[in-house]
C-alpha cells in the first residue's frame, strides 16, 4: 500500500533522521569539499539557503535560475527504429547501447505534465509513495539513510536516457523512482544474500536473476537500466536474453518442416525454436566467470536477417564479458513457464500440444540456473498487441520498414495461446523451481508502470 506522507509521523521522524544523515554525509552547511567534486551535488546543483532547521532548505536550483548549471539537454523527437523518445542518437546512452546489443526496444514516455524535482524532501516523499516500497522492504528510514544513493542513481539514469533531471515528466519520474531504482536496490539485496552464503576466499559465482515478462512490457529497457547501474557502481554484469538462443535460420527451417501447418512453430518464438544446448553452454560458462582475466563471448541473435526471419549473429559480433561477474541478468517472455496437462493446453489451442511437450526440456536448460526472479505481471495478454502496434507505428513514422496492423495481429497471435495457457500458473505458483522468498512480482498497467496489486 502506498505511504500517506502528509499524515505519517513515521515518515516525519524518518525524515529528521535523513536530515542528520545527509548533513553528515555531505556537510552541506560548511561545504568542506567543493560541490563539483561530489557527483551528487554536481548532478543536482545544490544551492545553500540561509540556515534553517527544515531539510527542504537544501533545494535544487530551479531550472529557470540563471545560476543553474547547464542541464542535460532533453530532446523528444523519436529515435529512429525504436519508438522511444528518451534515448538519443547523440547521447551517452547511444554509446552504451551500441555495446549492449539489441537495446533499442525502449519505452516511449509521454512528455506532458512536467514536475520539477525541486527539493530532496519532495523526492523522499515521492519515493515513499511508490507501489514497490513495501513489497521489497524499503522503509522510510531506509530511504532516508540511503537518499544519497537514490539521488545518484536517478542522476545516472537521467544521463543514460538523456532526461532533464530537474524537470522530469510525471511518467519519467515514476519510471525511475517507482520502478527502475527500487528494482535495482532489490537486486543489490539479492546479491548480498547470495554472497553471504560463501566464505572469504571462495570463488563466488555470479547471481543469476531471471526477468520473466511479456513482450513489449519494457523488460529489455529495465534490464538495460539495471546493467548500466551495475557498471556505474563498478560491478561487472552480463546480460542475456532467451532471444539469443534461437535456432539458426537453418534450424528454424527444419523445425517448420517437421511441423507443417502448425502456425506456432512456423516462426521463432515458442518452445522448440531455441537451441537449448547453446543455452546450457552459455549459462554454465557465465556462472564460472569468477576470476579476473577470464573472458567469454555471449551469443546474440540478428532478427533482421533473412528479411526478418532472423538468424544467429556472426560470432565475431558477439559481446565479450570478463570476470569476475557479480550478476547475470537473464530475460525472456517465457522464462518460468511450466508444462501443463495435455488436455489443458489443447483446450486453449490444439497447436500448443507439441509446444507444451517441447517445454518439458526448458527447466534444465534455463530455469534451474536462475537464483532470483523478477516476474512482471500484466492484467490482460492483449496488452501485447497494443504495445507491439505502438512500436511498429513508431518505426513507420521514423521511415523504417514496419509491420502493418494486420501483420502485427498475425505476429502477436502466434504468442497469445502460450500467454493464455501459461501465465495463470506462472502468476499463481511462481516460476519453475523458484524460492517464493526470492521472487519479486511486479504488477504493471497498460502504460508499463508498476501498480499496487489487487
Amino acid at each position: 500500500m502506498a505511504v500517506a506522507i502528509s499524515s505519517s509521523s513515521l515518515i516525519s521522524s524518518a525524515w529528521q533522521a535523513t536530515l542528520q544523515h545527509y548533513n553528515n554525509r555531505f556537510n552541506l552547511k560548511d561545504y568542506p569539499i567543493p560541490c563539483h567534486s561530489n557527483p551528487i551535488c554536481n548532478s543536482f546543483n545544490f544551492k545553500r539557503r540561509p540556515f534553517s532547521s527544515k531539510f527542504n532548505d537544501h533545494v535544487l536550483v530551479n531550472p529557470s535560475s540563471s545560476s543553474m548549471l547547464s542541464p542535460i539537454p532533453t530532446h523528444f523527437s523519436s529515435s529512429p527504429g525504436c519508438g522511444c523518445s528518451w534515448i538519443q542518437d547523440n547521447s551517452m546512452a547511444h554509446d552504451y547501447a551500441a555495446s549492449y546489443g539489441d537495446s533499442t526496444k525502449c519505452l516511449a514516455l509521454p512528455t506532458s505534465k512536467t514536475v520539477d524535482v525541486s527539493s530532496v524532501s519532495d523526492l523522499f516523499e515521492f519515493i515513499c509513495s511508490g507501489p514497490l516500497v513495501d513489497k521489497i522492504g524499503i522503509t522510510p528510514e531506509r530511504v532516508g539513510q540511503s537518499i544519497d544513493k537514490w539521488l545518484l542513481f536517478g542522476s545516472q539514469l537521467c544521463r543514460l536516457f538523456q532526461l532533464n533531471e530537474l524537470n522530469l515528466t510525471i511518467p519519467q519520474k515514476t519510471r525511475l523512482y517507482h520502478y527502475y531504482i527500487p528494482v535495482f536496490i532489490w537486486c543489490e539485496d539479492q546479491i548480498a544474500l547470495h554472497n553471504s552464503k560463501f566464505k572469504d576466499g571462495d570463488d563466488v559465482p555470479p547471481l543469476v536473476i531471471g526477468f520473466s515478462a511479456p513482450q513489449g512490457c519494457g523488460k529489455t529497457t529495465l534490464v538495460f537500466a539495471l546493467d548500466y547501474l551495475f557498471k556505474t557502481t563498478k560491478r561487472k554484469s552480463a546480460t542475456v536474453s532467451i532471444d539469443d538462443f534461437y535456432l539458426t535460420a537453418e534450424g528454424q527451417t527444419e523445425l517448420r518442416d517437421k511441423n507443417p501447418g502448425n502456425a506456432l512453430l512456423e516462426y521463432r518464438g515458442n518452445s522448440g525454436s531455441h537451441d537449448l544446448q547453446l543455452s546450457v553452454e552459455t549459462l554454465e560458462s557465465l556462472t564460472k566467470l569468477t576470476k579476473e582475466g577470464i573472458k567469454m563471448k555471449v551469443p546474440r541473435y540478428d532478427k533482421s536477417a533473412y528479411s526478418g526471419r532472423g538468424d544467429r549473429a556472426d560470432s565475431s559480433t558477439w559481446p565479450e564479458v570478463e570476470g569476475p561477474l557479480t550478476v547475470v541478468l537473464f530475460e525472456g517472455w517465457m522464462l518460468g513457464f511450466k508444462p501443463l496437462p495435455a488436455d489443458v493446453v489443447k483446450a486453449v489451442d490444439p497447436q500448443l500440444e507439441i509446444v507444451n511437450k517441447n517445454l518439458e526440456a526448458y527447466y534444465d536448460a534455463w530455469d534451474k540456473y536462475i537464483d532470483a526472479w523478477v516476474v512482471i505481471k500484466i492484467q490482460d495478454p492483449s496488452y501485447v498487441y497494443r504495445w507491439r502496434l505502438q512500436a511498429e507505428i513508431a518505426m513507420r513514422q521514423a521511415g523504417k520498414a514496419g509491420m502493418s496492423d494486420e501483420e502485427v495481429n498475425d505476429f502477436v497471435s502466434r504468442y497469445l495461446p502460450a500467454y493464455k495457457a501459461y501465465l495463470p500458473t506462472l502468476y499463481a505458483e511462481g516460476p519453475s523451481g523458484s524460492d517464493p522468498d526470492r521472487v519479486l512480482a511486479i504488477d504493471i498497467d497498460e502504460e508499463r508502470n508498476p501498480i499496487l496489486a489487487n
Side-chain angles (χ1 to χ4, degrees):
M1 180 176 181
V3 180
I5 300 298
S6 59
S7 62
S8 172
S9 59
L10 176 63
I11 297 242
S12 177
S13 62
W15 192 240
Q16 292 301 319
T18 299
L19 167 59
Q20 183 63 41
H21 166 76
Y22 209 81
N23 277 334
N24 287 344
R25 285 298 298 266
F26 298 108
N27 200 4
L28 294 177
K29 180 178 179 181
D30 299 319
Y31 281 123
I33 301 174
C35 200
H36 63 75
S37 68
N38 187 307
I40 299 170
C41 290
N42 189 43
S43 297
F44 283 83
N45 195 17
F46 279 93
K47 182 180 181 181
R48 181 67 178 175
R49 284 182 176 175
F51 178 76
S52 167
S53 62
K54 294 182 180 180
F55 189 81
N56 62 358
D57 281 350
H58 300 288
V59 299
L60 306 178
V61 178
N62 187 282
S64 62
S65 170
S66 60
S67 63
M68 184 186 75
L69 291 176
S70 299
I72 301 169
T74 306
H75 311 285
F76 294 110
S77 60
S78 296
S79 298
C82 67
C84 173
S85 61
W86 51 301
I87 295 180
Q88 301 304 312
D89 288 342
N90 63 345
S91 69
M92 66 180 292
H94 176 74
D95 296 333
Y96 182 66
S99 64
Y100 184 81
D102 187 20
S103 61
T104 56
K105 296 179 182 174
C106 43
L107 309 182
L109 297 184
T111 58
S112 60
K113 299 181 181 178
T114 60
V115 53
D116 293 348
V117 183
S118 59
S119 72
V120 179
S121 60
D122 290 343
L123 183 59
F124 172 83
E125 293 180 359
F126 185 79
I127 292 168
C128 291
S129 71
L132 296 183
V133 289
D134 289 338
K135 182 169 288 191
I136 65 178
I138 300 179
T139 63
E141 289 88 350
R142 186 177 173 191
V143 173
Q145 292 165 3
S146 61
I147 193 67
D148 53 327
K149 291 176 63 175
W150 287 83
L151 286 166
L152 181 58
F153 295 157
S155 179
Q156 288 168 332
L157 290 178
C158 283
R159 291 179 182 274
L160 174 65
F161 295 125
Q162 283 292 280
L163 304 176
N164 184 340
E165 59 189 311
L166 300 183
N167 199 32
L168 296 172
T169 68
I170 292 173
Q172 290 167 352
K173 191 178 179 184
T174 299
R175 191 66 54 81
L176 300 187
Y177 292 103
H178 283 179
Y179 195 2
Y180 294 171
I181 297 175
V183 172
F184 181 69
I185 290 173
W186 180 84
C187 290
E188 288 191 311
D189 290 345
Q190 294 300 312
I191 291 170
L193 178 62
H194 173 73
N195 292 346
S196 70
K197 298 178 180 179
F198 297 88
K199 299 177 181 178
D200 290 343
D202 287 351
D203 285 341
V204 180
L207 177 76
V208 181
I209 304 177
F211 295 79
S212 180
Q215 296 144 311
C217 75
K219 63 183 177 300
T220 302
T221 309
L222 170 63
V223 169
F224 177 58
L226 298 176
D227 183 55
Y228 181 74
L229 287 177
F230 279 119
K231 286 177 168 55
T232 59
T233 52
K234 309 302 181 185
R235 284 170 289 185
K236 293 182 179 179
S237 56
T239 64
V240 65
S241 167
I242 65 172
D243 295 356
D244 299 325
F245 302 133
Y246 281 135
L247 295 170
T248 61
E250 181 181 356
Q252 185 62 47
T253 298
E254 293 176 359
L255 177 68
R256 183 167 57 250
D257 292 344
K258 290 179 181 178
N259 297 274
N262 190 324
L264 305 185
L265 294 175
E266 186 176 358
Y267 301 110
R268 64 179 187 270
N270 285 291
S271 56
S273 64
H274 302 89
D275 185 336
L276 298 187
Q277 184 58 40
L278 178 64
S279 305
V280 171
E281 292 171 358
T282 300
L283 294 170
E284 287 277 3
S285 296
L286 285 170
T287 58
K288 293 177 182 177
L289 291 182
T290 60
K291 295 183 182 297
E292 199 78 40
I294 304 176
K295 301 178 182 179
M296 68 169 286
K297 286 193 169 188
V298 181
R300 289 294 186 256
Y301 191 82
D302 181 4
K303 294 181 179 179
S304 66
Y306 292 98
S307 302
R309 287 187 176 270
D311 195 9
R312 190 168 301 152
D314 188 275
S315 59
S316 64
T317 67
W318 296 0
E320 185 176 73
V321 296
E322 180 179 357
L325 287 182
T326 299
V327 63
V328 175
L329 308 175
F330 183 23
E331 56 103 343
W333 72 275
M334 54 172 284
L335 277 181
F337 282 10
K338 302 175 183 177
L340 299 172
D343 59 328
V344 173
V345 296
K346 287 172 69 176
V348 175
D349 188 328
Q351 297 179 106
L352 266 180
E353 186 173 12
I354 184 62
V355 171
N356 189 64
K357 184 67 176 177
N358 294 336
L359 190 58
E360 294 175 0
Y362 276 64
Y363 173 80
D364 287 332
W366 291 356
D367 298 351
K368 80 172 185 181
Y369 293 97
I370 297 174
D371 306 298
W373 289 83
V374 175
V375 178
I376 301 174
K377 301 167 64 175
I378 60 175
Q379 297 173 318
D380 186 346
S382 67
Y383 289 175
V384 175
Y385 171 77
R386 178 194 168 196
W387 291 334
R388 185 71 192 191
L389 187 61
Q390 288 175 339
E392 295 300 323
I393 290 174
M395 287 184 67
R396 297 199 299 263
Q397 290 176 342
K400 287 200 167 188
M403 288 189 285
S404 66
D405 293 3
E406 293 75 17
E407 289 171 331
V408 169
N409 185 67
D410 177 69
F411 177 83
V412 174
S413 70
R414 300 172 191 272
Y415 294 89
L416 283 180
Y419 286 134
K420 291 177 179 178
Y422 301 115
L423 284 184
T425 302
L426 175 68
Y427 293 169
E429 301 177 5
S432 301
S434 61
D435 177 352
D437 293 332
R438 306 200 71 180
V439 177
L440 175 60
I442 303 173
D443 293 81
I444 64 170
D445 60 20
E446 208 167 350
E447 301 305 319
R448 308 178 181 92
N449 287 318
I451 56 176
L452 289 172
N454 294 325

